Amino acid sequence: METIAVLFVFFILVVLGIIFYTQIAKSNIEQKTEEFSELSAIQVAQLATSLPELQCSEQNIIKENCIDSLRAAAAFQVFTRQEYFAIFGYSDITLVEVYPGSGQIPLYSRPLPSAKSKQKSFYPISVYDPASTLTHFGYLELSVYS
Amino acid sequence: MKAQVEVQFNWVIVLVAGSLIFLFFFGIVRWVQKSGDASSSVTVSNYLDSILTGSSVAKDTISEFQLPAKEVHFTCTTYRLGESETSRQIPNKILFAPSRIERGRFIAWSLPWEIPFRAANFLYLTSPEIRYVFYGDPFDPLYLEIQSAFPAGLSAEFNPQSLTNTNTFKVRVISINPTTSNPNADPRISLTPFRSMENSDFTVLEIKGLELSRDAQLTFYEKTPPAVSVPSLRTISPVDEPTFGKAAIFGAIFSDSFEDYSCSMAKALARMRNVAEIYDSRRASLALHYGNLLPTPDISCEGVYAQPNLFSGYLTTDLQTLTGLSNVLESQNTDAQRASCSLLY
């Protein structure tokens, strides 16, 4: 009788230990999911600013952190195609010009209908206008849905 | 008597209870081990994803890294860690890699595909444990270009005296502008030391062309399976398959499967068409700009930009006809530069 009682208490303690372990594991998983989500947003920004569809270049010499405004103006229509979903996923990307002019050029928009969270980030960028050969200040506004 | 039976019965209960407790903990350990393996696999996959993204963004940069996975299998659109049952999709990258990389050491490299405008970034993944053997005329311009451009840090041999088995898990032989029409007749490529290797682990690529940045013709070969007593090479692609550009030629060097190479080039062509469409729209906007300049329109620049076929030809072309389009676009870009206009690309 005592043996059974001891075994009963022992298994109660083991079950409590397992519940405690799974709670900690769940918290770790949520933290890692958050980290991967932030990493994913950075990856989207990196890819967006390095695409030949947008990036400034002359004779294939690339200007880093620069987007060609005429390419950007034409990009929205092209970026609606399925192959760009694999690059950008569920996100909104807008090019915002700050100085000297002001304006917004939407580049990509595919929000997630029932998103639990939306991570917004801003990346300073220069905006080159090949018509006037002037470079303006701006930033890339990126919202990633998860 | 009753006491003896009772004692024995108690021992039986102790044995049964002990076994149940042992099985219970054994089950918990197995469950923790499985979830740990799955978690590790996801972490390694995400790490590899980040490296692939970073490498494709940092052009013409070679990076070496190690992964705990013993084996990674690649196709054009997926990769799979050796122990994992599930594949990870990589549809957004134009990747050229061998079908399998062992021993966890990787080298990543990326090059822009210029036709002549930059259409896409090609990402190459290989390993210093893979052996690359190049044969060609040491005075051939294409051979010399490939030799100087091939990344240091990879196991490359150029015109070795003899081909022996050094126990690498893959061997890739590249024959540049060969004088024989069939590599089986090439005395430099001896298959006997590699007879026990799997057919996909010993592959040969023939490249025919004049310059690295221009068009070339490729033929892919692989060795016959180990069961065949006299090993030989068999074609696994159409003969003299056309390609264009330095990035595409290196893509063929690093892909040991023609199927994966074709799949990646198909992705590249799709991207090329999208980039050409954007450039065409840019061209039209600039033609309008130069034509409406005040007080006087810039007729010479407008003349360069008003040509409608500069980029539209790329929307329907394939690899065979890229040379002509590329030559015209390069020439017009030079004209734009001479007239002090914004460049076409």
Side-chain angles (χ1 to χ4, degrees):
Chain A
M1 196 62 190
E2 291 94 4
T3 313
I4 292 168
V6 163
L7 278 172
F8 180 72
V9 169
F10 172 74
F11 278 111
I12 295 275
L13 289 171
V14 165
V15 165
L16 283 173
I18 288 170
I19 291 170
F20 182 66
Y21 172 78
T22 49
Q23 288 299 322
I24 291 181
K26 194 175 154 191
S27 158
N28 281 344
I29 287 167
E30 278 167 8
Q31 201 179 2
K32 279 221 165 130
T33 308
E34 179 74 24
E35 268 176 41
F36 288 141
S37 171
E38 283 172 8
L39 196 60
S40 163
I42 294 170
Q43 280 185 10
V44 168
Q46 272 189 326
L47 286 168
T49 52
S50 71
L51 285 176
E53 290 89 328
L54 294 173
Q55 200 173 23
C56 304
S57 62
E58 279 194 349
Q59 291 272 43
N60 292 327
I61 298 167
I62 292 161
K63 286 185 203 170
E64 296 289 346
N65 295 319
C66 174
I67 287 181
D68 183 315
S69 63
L70 289 181
R71 294 189 215 193
F76 187 80
Q77 204 55 37
V78 172
F79 286 175
T80 54
R81 291 170 196 163
Q82 190 55 29
E83 54 262 38
Y84 291 96
F85 175 73
I87 298 173
F88 299 129
Y90 290 108
S91 64
D92 293 327
I93 308 175
T94 309
L95 178 65
V96 180
E97 195 181 310
V98 169
Y99 181 84
S102 64
Q104 290 193 3
I105 303 174
L107 298 177
Y108 176 83
S109 179
R110 187 131 173 201
L112 180 60
S114 50
K116 286 181 195 159
S117 69
K118 175 176 156 181
Q119 208 151 41
K120 213 168 195 174
S121 40
F122 305 91
Y123 300 92
I125 205 129
S126 44
V127 184
Y128 175 68
D129 178 10
S132 61
T133 66
L134 291 175
T135 305
H136 304 164
F137 287 104
Y139 62 86
L140 212 57
E141 186 180 309
L142 173 66
S143 304
V144 176
Y145 298 90
S146 56
Chain B
M1 182 67 178
K2 191 178 169 186
Q4 277 179 340
V5 168
E6 202 176 310
V7 164
Q8 281 172 0
F9 186 66
N10 276 345
W11 277 112
V12 168
I13 290 179
V14 163
L15 265 171
V16 166
S19 306
L20 282 173
I21 291 168
F22 176 75
L23 282 170
F24 175 72
F25 280 108
F26 185 72
I28 287 180
V29 164
R30 283 294 302 260
W31 172 74
V32 168
Q33 187 186 25
K34 266 191 184 170
S35 70
D37 283 346
S39 165
S40 160
S41 175
V42 165
T43 306
V44 169
S45 294
N46 281 315
Y47 179 63
L48 184 56
D49 263 352
S50 308
I51 290 176
L52 291 179
T53 302
S55 298
S56 65
V57 163
K59 286 152 286 296
D60 217 352
T61 307
I62 298 164
S63 54
E64 188 169 344
F65 58 95
Q66 272 191 292
L67 287 179
K70 292 195 188 82
E71 239 179 56
V72 185
H73 301 264
F74 292 95
T75 68
C76 164
T77 53
T78 63
Y79 69 85
R80 177 173 62 84
L81 300 178
E83 303 87 21
S84 166
E85 287 160 358
T86 51
S87 301
R88 189 93 173 218
Q89 298 282 331
I90 38 168
N92 59 340
K93 291 177 185 62
I94 301 170
L95 176 70
F96 298 90
S99 54
R100 187 177 91 256
I101 294 181
E102 285 181 11
R103 303 174 193 170
R105 287 177 66 196
F106 295 82
I107 284 182
W109 185 35
S110 76
L111 279 180
W113 188 37
E114 293 170 358
I115 49 159
F117 58 89
R118 185 168 67 103
N121 295 326
F122 285 7
L123 179 63
Y124 311 108
L125 207 55
T126 182
S127 170
E129 308 277 347
I130 295 175
R131 192 175 166 201
Y132 294 92
V133 181
F134 293 84
Y135 287 114
D137 179 351
F139 300 106
D140 179 358
L142 181 61
Y143 177 87
L144 290 168
E145 279 192 89
I146 291 176
Q147 186 176 28
S148 69
F150 199 74
L154 287 173
S155 309
E157 297 162 48
F158 293 89
N159 285 333
Q161 294 283 1
S162 62
L163 193 58
T164 53
N165 192 344
T166 55
N167 285 324
T168 50
F169 70 92
K170 271 191 188 285
V171 177
R172 184 106 171 109
V173 176
I174 298 101
S175 182
I176 300 163
N177 288 323
T179 49
T180 55
S181 57
N182 186 342
N184 284 308
D186 190 335
R188 300 169 299 184
I189 304 175
S190 165
L191 295 175
T192 313
F194 306 96
R195 192 177 143 225
S196 59
M197 285 181 90
E198 290 298 326
N199 43 314
S200 59
D201 289 341
F202 188 101
T203 52
V204 175
L205 172 71
E206 272 187 0
I207 306 174
K208 293 176 192 165
L210 298 172
E211 272 181 63
L212 200 53
S213 59
R214 285 290 174 231
D215 57 306
Q217 290 77 46
L218 309 170
T219 314
F220 288 70
Y221 299 86
E222 69 175 15
K223 188 181 81 60
T224 45
V228 174
S229 55
V230 180
S232 64
L233 293 169
R234 56 188 185 189
T235 49
I236 52 171
S237 76
V239 175
D240 293 343
E241 183 70 9
T243 194
F244 186 91
K246 176 180 174 182
I249 291 172
F250 272 106
I253 290 173
F254 292 116
S255 292
D256 55 15
S257 155
F258 174 69
E259 203 181 296
D260 288 338
Y261 174 76
S262 306
C263 170
S264 294
M265 287 310 297
K267 281 203 262 179
L269 283 171
R271 288 290 296 278
M272 175 196 77
R273 289 176 192 122
N274 293 334
V275 173
E277 194 175 323
I278 288 174
Y279 268 111
D280 198 38
S281 172
R282 179 181 182 271
R283 177 204 59 76
S285 300
L286 282 169
L288 208 63
H289 163 76
Y290 286 120
N292 293 334
L293 268 181
L294 294 171
T296 48
D298 190 329
I299 295 173
S300 50
C301 289
E302 192 197 359
V304 169
Y305 277 89
Q307 298 172 72
N309 299 326
L310 287 173
F311 291 102
S312 57
Y314 285 91
L315 302 180
T316 50
T317 192
D318 56 19
L319 289 166
Q320 255 171 326
T321 48
L322 269 178
T323 309
L325 290 170
S326 174
N327 289 341
V328 167
L329 189 54
E330 264 187 69
S331 157
Q332 290 301 310
N333 203 44
T334 308
D335 289 346
Q337 196 172 23
R338 282 201 197 106
S340 302
C341 314
S342 287
L343 296 182
L344 283 161
Y345 64 86

